[in-house]
């Protein structure tokens, strides 16, 4: 291991709300300045949407930097990988001229694999919950992470070793089929169907699988720019989000060392992505949610439908309490504000600065889901702005739009480094370079 002779040139990009903040676009922008782009958690329950030259691309597992030539994309050990989805994504990208070389995509040999029984269990459980649904995507993410923690998971390295895969699948499938039949009332899955199809897929993925932890350590120590791309958002973090309405992985910057196999001392800055308003998908507390005409307008103008599921997103006013929470947890050095253009024509613009819980003003996110569900937002109103002009620099924004952004900085304690005013790659203002 070579000693460090320079500051690490790394940046962690995380969602500062409930996911869907526009991380894909920002990562795509920053990838041009990077050498390596890394996914470190989550699975294909996350969808990052990119619009480049009018062409829309939705990525679920491959890092968003893939649309830039000559970059290396890494799927870290903290990701749970659906081999079927990943192979489809690789083939679709190759058909468009991307990922021409195997080494452009590297998959951790320690990443756990999502198998058909994970998806069957996920869907059946959600059906049985009825009105108590968590809002899972049904992609098998949670059950795969459960198996990882129960030490019965199957990793990509196991998938590549035929006898290891056979032995592990034989044992695990017996247990899963008993659970599916007896508890969930579902049909059992056939061993041969899973074994044969996943062995074929494994061979096609084999050229991409390696020890990505060692690769990343070498690249960072060599002075390469490495970008870590988070999925979901801080409020969906399994420890620090709105539990139990969360995902099954660590979405904050602290998830990078474990999820990518990188020493904490090799991490530099952290950029939080947040919309100029707030959205969330699925169930769970959402203090600033707007149920009426304004919420519908934000959904329509912001095209607020899940990239993975197509589900309509719940929309609400900007919640500074939530973004402050995310900033503290990840030590954010900057913010990227997306979809500022969607707020055009709304007056006044409301910002939640605190919560009222049973008559008590609090300025933090309570751990109690019941308290958060009962929280009433304390709003501060600012004047709105009209349709944004062709914006090339910060000064091109209307004075009221600039004041809105300044107030977000004041309330969250984090400087705005990037502003997105449209879906296209070139509709972005970089106020301060986040990546060293």
């Amino acid at each position: 291991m070579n000693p460090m002779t320079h500051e690490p040139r790394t940046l962690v990009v995380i969602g500062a709300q409930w996911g869907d903040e526009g991380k894909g676009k920002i990562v795509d922008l920053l990838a041009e300045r990077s050498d390596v782009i890394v996914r470190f958690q989550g699975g294909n329950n996350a969808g990052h949407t990119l619009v480049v030259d009018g062409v829309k691309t939705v990525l679920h597992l491959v890092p968003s930097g893939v649309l830039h030539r000559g970059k290396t994309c890494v799927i870290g050990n903290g990701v749970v990988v659906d081999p079927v989805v990943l192979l489809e994504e690789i083939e679709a990208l190759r058909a468009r001229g991307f990922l021409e070389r195997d080494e452009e995509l590297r998959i951790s040999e320690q990443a756990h694999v999502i198998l058909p029984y994970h998806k069957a269990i996920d869907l059946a459980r959600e059906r049985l919950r009825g009105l108590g649904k968590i809002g899972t995507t049904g992609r098998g993410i949670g059950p795969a992470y459960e198996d990882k923690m129960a030490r019965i998971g199957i990793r990509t390295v196991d998938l590549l070793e035929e006898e290891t895969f056979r032995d592990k699948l034989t044992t695990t499938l017996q247990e899963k089929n008993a659970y599916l039949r007896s508890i969930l009332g579902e049909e059992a899955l056939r061993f041969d169907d899973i074994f044969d199809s996943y062995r074929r897929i494994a061979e096609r993925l084999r050229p991409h699988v390696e020890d990505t932890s060692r690769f990343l350590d070498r690249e960072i120590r060599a002075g390469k720019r490495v970008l870590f791309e988070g999925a979901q958002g801080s409020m969906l973090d399994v420890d620090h989000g709105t539990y139990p309405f969360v995902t099954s992985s660590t979405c904050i910057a602290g998830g990078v060392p474990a999820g990518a196999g990188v020493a904490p001392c090799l991490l530099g800055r952290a950029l939080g992505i947040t919309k100029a308003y707030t959205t969330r998908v699925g169930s769970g507390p959402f203090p600033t949610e707007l149920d009426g005409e304004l919420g519908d307008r934000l959904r329509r103008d912001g095209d607020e439908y899940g990239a993975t599921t197509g589900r309509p997103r719940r929309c609400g006013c900007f919640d500074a309490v939530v973004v402050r929470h995310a900033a503290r947890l990840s030590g954010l050095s900057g913010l990227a504000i997306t979809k500022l253009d969607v707020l055009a024509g709304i007056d006044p613009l409301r910002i939640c600065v605190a919560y009222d819980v049973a008559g008590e003003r609090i300025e933090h996110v309570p751990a109690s889901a019941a308290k958060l569900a009962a929280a009433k937002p304390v709003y501060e109103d600012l004047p709105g702005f009209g349709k944004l002009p062709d914006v090339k620099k910060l000064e091109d924004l209307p004075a009221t739009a600039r004041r809105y952004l300044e107030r977000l900085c004041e309330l969250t304690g984090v400087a705005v480094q990037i502003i997105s005013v449209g879906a296209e790659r070139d509709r972005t203002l970089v106020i301060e370079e986040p990546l060293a």
Side-chain angles (χ1 to χ4, degrees):
M1 185 173 70
N2 297 324
M4 288 290 292
T5 58
H6 52 79
E7 287 295 316
R9 304 168 80 184
T10 58
L11 177 69
V12 182
V13 175
I14 59 105
Q17 297 168 310
W18 277 280
D20 309 308
E21 301 95 347
K23 294 182 293 298
K25 177 187 177 180
I26 302 302
V27 170
D28 170 65
L29 174 76
L30 296 172
E32 187 175 7
R33 304 153 164 82
S34 308
D35 301 299
V36 182
I37 303 91
V38 188
R39 272 283 305 272
F40 62 91
Q41 49 81 216
N44 60 303
N45 55 338
H48 288 172
T49 303
L50 317 175
V51 180
V52 181
D53 297 329
V55 179
K56 181 178 178 179
T57 302
V58 180
L59 299 169
H60 300 282
L61 282 166
V62 177
S64 301
V66 70
L67 301 187
H68 293 274
R69 311 286 180 180
K71 309 298 181 181
T72 301
C73 292
V74 175
I75 296 175
N77 58 276
V79 179
V80 286
V81 176
D82 186 325
V84 176
V85 173
L86 179 56
L87 186 59
E88 290 173 351
E89 202 163 299
I90 291 171
E91 290 177 342
L93 287 164
R94 282 184 167 160
R96 294 173 54 191
F98 300 107
L99 293 181
E100 294 177 336
R101 297 177 294 112
D102 289 340
E103 57 268 30
E104 291 178 11
L105 176 64
R106 300 167 188 253
I107 306 165
S108 171
E109 60 189 6
Q110 294 177 305
H112 281 245
V113 174
I114 296 173
L115 291 158
Y117 49 78
H118 293 128
K119 289 179 274 191
I121 289 170
D122 204 0
L123 290 167
R125 282 177 177 169
E126 193 74 343
R127 174 177 54 79
L128 290 174
R129 287 188 183 106
L131 295 177
K133 288 181 179 180
I134 291 175
T136 173
T137 59
R139 301 302 200 268
I141 309 299
Y145 275 116
E146 287 177 33
D147 282 2
K148 178 178 180 176
M149 294 307 171
R151 293 163 293 180
I152 59 171
I154 295 174
R155 304 171 299 164
T156 53
V157 67
D158 303 323
L159 203 62
L160 297 178
E161 297 173 359
E162 185 169 335
E163 289 309 310
T164 302
F165 182 39
R166 184 190 303 277
D167 292 344
K168 287 196 169 189
L169 183 61
T170 298
T171 302
T172 304
L173 190 58
Q174 289 176 350
E175 177 185 319
K176 300 301 180 183
N177 275 338
Y179 180 60
L180 282 165
R181 287 192 306 262
S182 303
I183 305 298
L184 300 179
E186 299 291 324
E187 293 184 5
L189 302 175
R190 285 172 43 84
F191 174 89
D192 289 343
D193 292 344
I194 299 174
F195 183 77
D196 293 342
S197 62
Y198 279 73
R199 280 295 301 141
R200 289 194 296 270
I201 293 171
E203 286 307 312
R204 297 173 71 179
L205 294 178
R206 184 184 292 275
H208 300 284
V209 179
E210 65 174 90
D211 185 341
T212 55
S213 173
R214 293 178 63 236
F215 168 76
L216 291 172
D217 185 82
R218 289 196 304 268
E219 294 295 283
I220 295 171
R221 291 179 185 279
K224 299 292 182 67
R225 285 190 171 97
V226 179
L227 186 63
F228 295 94
E229 174 187 8
Q232 288 91 31
S234 300
M235 296 304 292
L236 294 178
D237 183 274
V238 68
D239 286 300
H240 303 286
T242 47
Y243 191 90
F245 303 99
V246 294
T247 191
S248 302
S249 58
T250 301
C251 307
I252 62 175
V256 173
V262 172
C265 63
L266 298 183
L267 299 181
R269 303 173 183 176
L271 178 71
I273 317 300
T274 172
K275 285 174 182 164
Y277 48 100
T278 310
T279 64
R280 80 168 295 174
V281 171
S283 306
F286 184 3
T288 66
E289 183 171 11
L290 297 167
D291 294 322
E293 183 180 341
L294 184 54
D296 293 339
R297 174 178 173 173
L298 288 172
R299 186 177 304 108
R300 181 189 67 245
D301 294 351
D303 190 24
E304 296 296 352
Y305 297 89
T308 298
T309 63
R311 289 183 296 182
R313 295 174 185 141
R314 301 157 64 190
C315 298
C317 301
F318 186 90
D319 191 333
V321 182
V322 160
V323 179
R324 263 199 313 269
H325 181 72
R328 176 178 57 81
L329 289 170
S330 290
L332 297 181
S333 50
L335 287 177
I337 307 288
T338 64
K339 297 196 174 184
L340 181 65
D341 53 303
V342 176
L343 295 183
I346 297 175
D347 192 5
L349 294 173
R350 313 201 82 183
I351 303 172
C352 174
V353 298
Y355 300 144
D356 182 320
V357 180
E360 178 188 1
R361 178 186 171 111
I362 62 172
E363 298 184 357
H364 65 275
V365 177
S368 166
K371 283 187 177 180
L372 188 59
K376 297 178 181 178
V378 178
Y379 284 121
E380 177 180 303
D381 289 354
L382 272 71
F385 51 87
K387 184 177 180 181
L388 298 180
D390 186 17
V391 179
K392 300 297 183 184
K393 57 185 185 298
L394 183 61
E395 291 72 25
D396 294 335
L397 289 172
T400 48
R402 295 200 303 273
R403 177 55 190 147
Y404 182 73
L405 294 171
E406 288 168 2
R407 188 59 180 144
L408 300 190
C409 293
E410 293 165 359
L411 289 167
T412 60
V414 186
V416 173
Q417 295 181 322
I418 296 175
I419 305 167
S420 172
V421 293
E424 288 281 356
R425 181 186 278 172
D426 59 1
R427 297 277 289 161
T428 313
L429 301 178
V430 180
I431 310 303
E432 181 184 345
E433 177 59 58
L435 190 58

